[in-house]
């Protein structure tokens, strides 16, 4: 495919994303959405003032999110459900403009009850739902309950849809929690006030909540949080990583000892069966370059191996003890 074709695809996806955002979410600079409130305040505020242009991967991620919702809607319809509404907008009635767009609201008219389903499409399925997903759900349930006093909002759930090998997972059993909802509204009030002050030039740096996912934030390049001599918020991540690396080393040693012990047996006694597995000494061959002969050959043409060596670079995370 030509470069021009790829540029056209990216521009078209960008256009679709803008169109879809305007149609479903309106002007996001004029209110706080449920996902804005759970995110780092600096990221939320800067995203509203200078919306970052999305790269191709991000644009595809947006489409994946919409596709996941469409798949769930089609499955629910095929299963005979008709008692749900999609993209239900709920607004906070207080002074702060907080608006949530709920993926699915199930309604029982006879029982006068409602339930919320939030659909996510993560690249890899987490073992537990992310805190930001849960905050979003609690805010949605709270806003839905406040806006529909004639109904009881009974429960909420998060359905994670993975388009790879991990399929779907339902994180269930959430019920509206007044304390959490009120805490989120208080947080929204603080973020909204800071947003106004920052836009008016009265606040220089909004509150920053650094974490392991800062690398995916479009405002990381000039984030003052990382000017600090030591980034305290990453302590836990680095601690867990170094501990896992230690365990990996110990595990590799343990695996090699066990492999060598078993190999020593089958090498002398031949194939055997244990634990329902078949063990034998196997041989595999692979082609290797005879560099000594090749160097001799090249010498005849006044050349050496190094004439054919090139340097390629790659990046990796280096971790050393700090001074
Ligand atoms: S890099 Fe992290 S701390 Fe800085 S604005 Fe982004 S999310 Fe917030």
């Amino acid at each position: 495919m030509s470069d021009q074709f790829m540029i056209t695809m990216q521009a078209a996806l960008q256009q679709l994303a803008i169109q879809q955002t305007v149609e479903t979410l309106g002007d996001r600079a004029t209110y706080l959405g449920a996902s804005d409130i759970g995110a780092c305040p600096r990221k939320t505020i800067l995203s509203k003032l200078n919306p970052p242009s999305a790269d191709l991967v991000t644009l595809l991620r947006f489409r994946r999110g919409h596709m996941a919702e469409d798949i769930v809607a089609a499955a629910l319809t095929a299963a005979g459900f008709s008692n749900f509404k999609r993209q239900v907008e709920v607004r906070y009635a207080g002074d702060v403009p907080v608006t949530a767009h709920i993926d699915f609201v199930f309604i029982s008219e006879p029982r006068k009850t409602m339930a919320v389903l939030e659909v996510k499409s993560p690249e890899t399925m987490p073992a537990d739902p992310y805190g930001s997903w849960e905050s979003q759900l609690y805010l949605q349930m709270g806003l839905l309950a406040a806006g529909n006093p004639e109904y009881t909002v009974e429960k909420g759930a998060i359905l994670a849809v993975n388009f790879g090998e991990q399929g779907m997972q339902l994180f269930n059993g959430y019920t509206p929690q007044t304390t959490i909802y009120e805490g989120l509204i208080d947080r929204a009030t603080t973020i909204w006030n800071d947003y106004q002050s920052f836009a008016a030039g009265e606040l220089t740096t909004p509150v920053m909540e650094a974490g392991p996912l800062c690398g995916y934030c479009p405002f990381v390049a000039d984030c003052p949080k990382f000017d600090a001599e030591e980034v305290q918020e990453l302590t836990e991540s680095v601690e867990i990583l170094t501990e896992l690396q230690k365990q990996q080393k110990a595990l590799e040693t343990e695996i090699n000892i066990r492999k060598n012990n078993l190999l020593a047996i089958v090498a002398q006694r031949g194939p055997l069966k244990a634990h329902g597995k078949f063990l034998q000494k196997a041989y595999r061959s692979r082609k290797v370059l005879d560099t000594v002969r090749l160097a001799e050959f090249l010498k005849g043409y006044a050349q050496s191996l190094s004439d054919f060596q090139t340097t390629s670079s790659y990046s990796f995370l280096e971790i050393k003890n700090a001074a």
Side-chain angles (χ1 to χ4, degrees), residues 40 42-43 208-211 214 217 219-220 223 225-226:
C40 159
R42 178 177 183 264
K43 181 182 170 195
M208 294 165 285
E209 291 173 357
C214 281
C217 169
F219 308 104
V220 68
C223 181
K225 196 81 215 177
F226 296 91

Side-chain angles (χ1 to χ4, degrees), residues 48 116 129 227 271 277:
K48 293 200 179 294
V116 169
D227 295 340
K277 313 272 179 203

Side-chain angles (χ1 to χ4, degrees), residues 288-299 305:
V288 288
L289 208 56
D290 185 340
T291 49
V292 177
R293 276 183 60 213
L294 185 59
E296 275 304 311
F297 172 78
L298 289 173
K299 221 196 260 172
L305 277 178

Side-chain angles (χ1 to χ4, degrees), residues 11-186:
L13 284 167
Q14 182 90 54
Q15 188 57 37
L16 272 175
I18 294 168
Q19 203 177 313
Q20 199 139 20
T21 303
V22 170
E23 280 167 12
T24 56
L25 305 177
D27 181 359
R28 299 203 68 183
T30 59
Y31 69 89
L32 286 176
S35 56
D36 293 331
I37 297 162
C40 159
R42 178 177 183 264
K43 181 182 170 195
T44 293
I45 292 169
L46 294 187
S47 300
K48 293 200 179 294
L49 290 170
N50 313 299
S53 59
D55 59 11
L56 187 60
V57 174
T58 311
L59 290 166
L60 289 171
R61 225 177 262 146
F62 286 155
R63 299 303 305 169
R64 193 177 64 194
H66 294 304
M67 278 165 61
E69 286 175 38
D70 289 343
I71 290 168
V72 173
L76 288 170
T77 305
F81 288 99
S82 57
N83 60 334
F84 65 87
K85 286 187 185 164
R86 294 183 63 183
Q87 284 301 319
V88 175
E89 186 176 285
V90 277
R91 289 168 191 244
Y92 176 56
D95 292 339
V96 190
V98 174
T99 302
H101 296 88
I102 307 177
D103 292 340
F104 292 88
V105 174
F106 292 85
I107 305 160
S108 165
E109 286 300 344
R111 294 175 53 233
K112 288 284 172 205
T113 59
M114 287 180 162
V116 169
L117 179 68
E118 174 67 17
V119 176
K120 297 290 180 195
S121 58
E123 237 144 86
T124 50
M125 190 70 77
D128 298 302
Y130 294 115
S132 57
W133 292 1
E134 294 181 321
S135 307
Q136 196 177 350
L137 185 64
Y138 282 123
L139 189 78
Q140 290 171 342
M141 289 192 288
L143 289 173
L144 191 66
N148 297 277
E150 66 283 23
Y151 289 84
T152 302
V153 175
E154 280 189 324
K155 55 190 174 182
I158 300 164
L159 179 66
V161 181
N162 175 259
F163 286 95
E165 289 172 354
Q166 294 156 312
M168 285 190 188
Q169 187 158 340
L170 184 69
F171 300 105
N172 210 349
Y174 296 91
T175 52
Q177 302 290 333
T178 310
T179 317
I180 298 177
Y181 171 63
E182 285 172 357
L184 288 166
I185 292 293
D186 285 349

